[in-house]
Amino acid sequence: MEEFLYLILGALTMGSLFYILIPTPTTPSVYLKDQYSINHLKLQSRRSLISRLLFGNTIFNYLQKIQNYFFFTNHPLVQIIYYSVTLGGYALYVYFGFMKLFQTNQYVDFNMGLVGSILYIYCLYTYYQACTKGPGIINKENNQKYIKEFEQYYDGVLYKQNTKCETCDIIKPARSKHCRVCNICVSKFDHHCIWIKQCVGQRNYKYFLKFIFFHAVLCDYATFVGFLCLYGRAQELNLFNMTIRVPGKNVLIQTSYYEVLKILMNKETYFVFVVLLCLIMGFSLTFFIIYHFSMVRFDKTTNERVKRSDFTKQYRKEFQQLKFILKERKDDDLLKRYNRIKEIWEILNKQKYLGLIGGLKLIFSENDDS
């Protein structure tokens, strides 16, 4: 069983390296200066070189094709993985935890298992909603409606009026973006999510938040109940009062928490493993929902945060250079550019604070995609 767990951890590690080292194809931003695009392409070239040296050309090209398919095409593989992991994890938790350990455990009971099962079923429902509700697709019929709705957000920096999407042949409303995976323009675009096989935008952001929030609650709850159950199991086996002999010495010491966990891993391997998975997923999802709530407070999308960050890096460097030059000599053209960057900087740092409650009210008041 330990070999099986090491295999899974190894697969996760290789998957992380695969994602980091194999560069993904990107389109240089039309909003930023050429120098930024050049620097970005240089970074990708360095990643490509490292990857080719590690894997070789043949394996590198093969892995890049796999990554392009996995992350940049709409396919059902990730949804299959989701159902396999959640259904398998739930089955393991119920069989090796609820049916075997809950019955005689003083810290957990039937009601806890029932609450967990109800949460799990509702999580499946939120996932179904997130996968089936449209993000707010912009087409020629509703183009003008979206332009008027987001007219106030044209700032001349992040969003410029009369910018055309050549693929969809429409004028891009402010806060929209063309998704190359779905090949559509999406209103108030946040990001493309491979887990739900579509974009997250104005019309389905509320369903995405529900999906993340309740999965975080489920994993955190399962972790809490799982550790209570394992603590009770350790007490049943009297593990906290056991003594072990120090290897090579005739000395007995009381078992540490680490030793207790090792014994439980040996006796309740499947249950400990699924609880640890819940712990990892719960931590990740909790962090993720906190991040999105922080975006909600300021009426900001992930796409806008990334664009603002890119702009800020570029303009900060130019601002500092101009400031240094203007100290040395006067130049009207450079002074105009300097003042323009100051205006852009103010626009980029301007935030619309709604608060969490106000932001959520706005998001959940949005109608579904028609």
Side-chain angles (χ1 to χ4, degrees), residues 19 29 34 65 84 94 122 185 217 328 353:
Y19 181 73
S29 173
D34 291 339
K65 286 179 181 178
S84 300
V94 169
Y122 189 71
C185 277
V217 171
E328 301 294 323
Y353 181 76

Side-chain angles (χ1 to χ4, degrees), residues 157-216:
V157 181
L158 291 175
Y159 303 109
K160 298 179 181 180
Q161 289 183 315
N162 299 317
T163 302
K164 188 176 182 181
C165 174
E166 299 297 337
T167 306
C168 298
D169 192 28
I170 60 172
I171 300 299
K172 296 176 69 173
R175 311 194 78 181
S176 68
K177 180 179 171 63
H178 182 87
C179 175
R180 64 172 175 166
V181 180
C182 299
N183 199 32
I184 55 173
C185 277
V186 175
S187 174
K188 200 178 177 183
F189 179 89
D190 190 87
H191 69 286
H192 179 87
C193 179
I194 60 173
W195 289 102
I196 63 175
K197 209 179 87 168
Q198 66 169 339
C199 296
V200 177
Q202 179 184 6
R203 305 298 182 189
N204 68 346
Y205 191 43
K206 58 185 175 184
Y207 298 110
F208 178 76
L209 288 179
K210 281 172 60 180
F211 160 58
I212 298 299
F213 177 78
F214 282 103
H215 278 72

Side-chain angles (χ1 to χ4, degrees), residues 72-87:
F72 297 105
T73 60
N74 265 337
H75 57 79
L77 289 180
V78 179
Q79 290 175 310
I80 293 170
I81 292 171
Y82 167 83
Y83 282 114
S84 300
V85 171
T86 55
L87 290 170

Side-chain angles (χ1 to χ4, degrees), residues 100-101 230 233 264-272:
K100 288 184 66 177
L101 301 179
L230 290 172
R233 179 62 173 155
L264 288 173
M265 277 285 289
N266 185 54
K267 290 184 174 293
E268 309 295 344
T269 307
Y270 287 105
F271 187 65
V272 171

